[in-house]
Amino acid sequence: MVSEKADHSTATPLDPLEVLGNIDAWNLRREGEWLRFTGRLDPGLGPRDYLRDPAGGDVIAVAPGPLYGLLSIGGARRAGFNTGPAAFPHHILAPGDHIGAVGLEGSARAEPTGALQKLPHCSQDALIAQSLLSWRAEGLAALPLFFTRTETDSSPTAAALSEGLAFDNLFAAVDSLCLAAQKLGKEPKVLAVGIDFGAEDTTSSQAEIETGLTALMTKIEAGLHRRGLQRPIFLLACEGGHAGAANHPAILAHSRLGWLKDGHTIAISAPGYAFDKDRFGRPTDDARLRMAKMDAHAIVALTAREDWACPCPLLAEYDDKDVRVTFSAMEPLVIDPALTDDPSAGFAIVGSKKPLEIVSVRVDPKDPRTILLRTKTTIKGEKPTLRYALPGLADDGASRRGAIRDSWSADSVGSDVPLHRWALPAELPMNEAPR
């Protein structure tokens, strides 16, 4: 071990095997507060430089640019992770407090630290970082460092989420990001904050959930501003519901915030119904990978100052048996049966005096951002409600998936099923079309 008071200009060259252990490393030297060396530690990346604290701890990559923070806060579902370390393990890090990728789940208070450590498991934040680094490596672009931490709480309402230990620990992680960046001589930058909360809140109305999540985002931005950090992208998980836990207010609150924005930079990369869930309503390992890739696509678009938005139904009008559903969409719409064999493509009409069965669904050939529905019987003199991709509509109370997406797609590494931007769930009053 190197003495803090050693004369480094005349010090004996350090032996990597003695100091670092049995790894493929060479050119070990002391630089400032770090031991720096060249090595081959990451398969496929070739030789590159790494750092380690002289006092010990994990090895981290020497990397250009800021120390990017990918943080998240939410309920128990957000605490899920895929087992095993991420690809680029020396680039995807957590605070060096031995807590790991997922925080203390509202059970105790975390303390800021300038130390960094590798992740034993992959939270969704770590999987987002893995996707971003994979694309950059494929393009021979610079590979920065990512700092990740997920904090969760069992608070019963969205409004309470900004008042609990999870919120305090989120900002302990932000302070750790700043301390670690300072030690590395880097700029700290919170790239994105994921918010995944809704299924836990079974008592609040749609308006109360919207208000609670908006207040949470505002409070996060204020805390970052006090630390001299810029406003982040908020990655909002649009509730998809599952059998036995349908929660219309949360689904509609998320969808509305996704297009309303309310002064924040919000991205819903895909609605929850697009991903498989286990019997507890939590994403499967494969779903978590696909969700992270979609989040990464949204981050890339928004950081390049490009738009990112899932299609969203905005207006429903009827004339006799014909229903016209106008969408906000970045690309032409597609009816894709990949997620559902429902002949109604996820649409249902409720609140009418008589049942209104949908017998056909098609994209308007004159306006590819509009869906045309046709009902079996005439709609006349009523104001029913059109629902899209909302759970609890089937006779068995199970979830309902939608079949509407736009024409954007991307390859999903490790899967033959491409990624798509599926339309957000919606509930719209149906009005008679003007003549």
Side-chain angles (χ1 to χ4, degrees):
M1 191 60 62
V2 180
S3 169
E4 291 286 334
K5 298 181 179 179
D7 179 1
H8 305 304
S9 63
T10 59
T12 303
L14 302 173
D15 184 343
L17 183 62
E18 179 182 338
V19 177
L20 303 172
N22 189 23
I23 61 174
D24 190 4
W26 60 94
N27 193 23
L28 177 63
R29 65 269 191 201
R30 177 71 178 266
E31 289 190 4
E33 297 184 53
W34 298 94
L35 293 175
R36 181 167 176 156
F37 62 93
T38 306
R40 286 192 313 119
L41 305 186
D42 292 298
L45 290 184
R48 51 201 311 115
D49 274 13
Y50 296 89
L51 300 173
R52 202 199 72 181
D53 192 306
D58 287 342
V59 169
I60 65 176
V62 172
L67 177 60
Y68 288 109
L70 288 171
L71 308 173
S72 59
I73 185 170
R77 180 176 53 194
R78 190 68 187 194
F81 56 83
N82 291 9
T83 57
F88 310 94
H90 302 93
H91 288 79
I92 304 175
L93 308 162
D97 49 16
H98 306 291
I99 295 172
V102 177
L104 295 169
E105 300 182 53
S107 62
R109 191 170 299 277
E111 297 297 332
T113 174
L116 294 167
Q117 66 184 76
K118 296 191 294 182
L119 302 177
H121 303 296
C122 286
S123 64
Q124 189 168 334
D125 303 314
L127 294 172
I128 294 170
Q130 177 177 278
S131 294
L132 293 170
L133 286 167
S134 295
W135 298 336
R136 296 186 68 83
E138 290 169 7
L140 301 179
L143 304 180
L145 293 179
F146 287 93
F147 173 105
T148 66
R149 173 57 59 86
T150 296
E151 291 293 346
T152 62
D153 205 334
S154 58
S155 299
T157 67
L161 195 60
S162 62
E163 304 296 334
L165 270 178
F167 184 87
D168 293 342
N169 287 345
L170 179 74
F171 272 91
V174 172
D175 290 336
S176 294
L177 169 72
C178 295
L179 290 171
Q182 182 180 27
K183 186 174 180 179
L184 288 165
K186 292 181 172 293
E187 173 193 1
K189 183 175 182 179
V190 178
L191 184 59
V193 177
I195 300 177
D196 188 350
F197 196 87
E200 297 84 354
D201 192 343
T202 59
T203 60
S204 300
S205 67
Q206 175 184 338
E208 288 169 335
I209 293 173
E210 286 183 36
T211 300
L213 293 179
T214 300
L216 173 63
M217 290 186 284
T218 300
K219 191 172 180 180
I220 289 172
E221 288 178 341
L224 295 177
H225 178 72
R226 287 195 296 272
R227 291 162 174 81
L229 301 175
Q230 69 179 42
R231 297 166 64 183
I233 298 167
F234 287 106
L235 301 171
L236 195 62
C238 184
E239 180 62 44
H242 58 285
N247 187 1
H248 289 204
I251 298 171
L252 296 173
H254 294 163
S255 293
R256 180 174 157 82
L257 284 172
W259 62 264
L260 183 63
K261 310 297 184 185
D262 201 23
H264 307 285
T265 302
I266 297 175
I268 295 179
S269 62
Y273 71 77
F275 305 106
D276 292 331
K277 299 179 180 66
D278 63 21
R279 62 191 181 94
F280 301 107
R282 300 186 183 185
T284 62
D285 284 358
D286 179 67
R288 198 173 287 111
L289 280 166
R290 293 173 65 82
M291 292 166 70
K293 289 185 175 73
M294 290 298 292
D295 283 344
H297 279 293
I299 288 171
V300 168
L302 291 172
T303 52
R305 300 188 182 280
E306 299 172 358
D307 289 333
W308 177 277
C310 293
C312 184
L314 296 181
L315 179 65
E317 298 176 305
Y318 69 86
D319 182 4
D320 193 32
K321 297 180 181 180
D322 297 315
V323 181
R324 181 180 183 86
V325 188
T326 304
F327 279 70
S328 168
M330 294 181 63
E331 303 283 348
L333 298 177
V334 175
I335 301 172
D336 186 342
L339 297 183
T340 178
D341 56 4
D342 177 6
S344 300
F347 289 99
I349 300 173
V350 299
S352 59
K353 295 176 183 177
K354 56 186 177 182
L356 290 171
E357 180 186 352
I358 297 171
V359 295
S360 70
V361 183
R362 62 191 179 99
V363 177
D364 186 345
K366 297 180 181 179
D367 181 359
R369 288 169 175 80
T370 294
I371 297 293
L372 301 178
L373 311 177
R374 188 167 180 82
T375 59
K376 188 174 184 178
T377 54
T378 299
I379 311 171
K380 187 175 182 180
E382 295 189 77
K383 288 191 177 181
T385 297
L386 179 70
R387 288 177 173 170
Y388 172 75
L390 289 176
L393 296 179
D395 291 339
D396 60 1
S399 297
R400 172 168 294 226
R401 286 180 161 183
I404 310 300
R405 61 173 176 84
D406 68 14
S407 56
W408 179 90
S409 67
D411 291 336
S412 181
V413 178
S415 173
D416 294 332
V417 181
L419 300 171
H420 296 297
R421 277 193 304 238
W422 296 92
L424 300 181
E427 185 172 79
L428 301 174
M430 293 175 60
N431 297 298
E432 193 167 4
R435 294 181 181 273

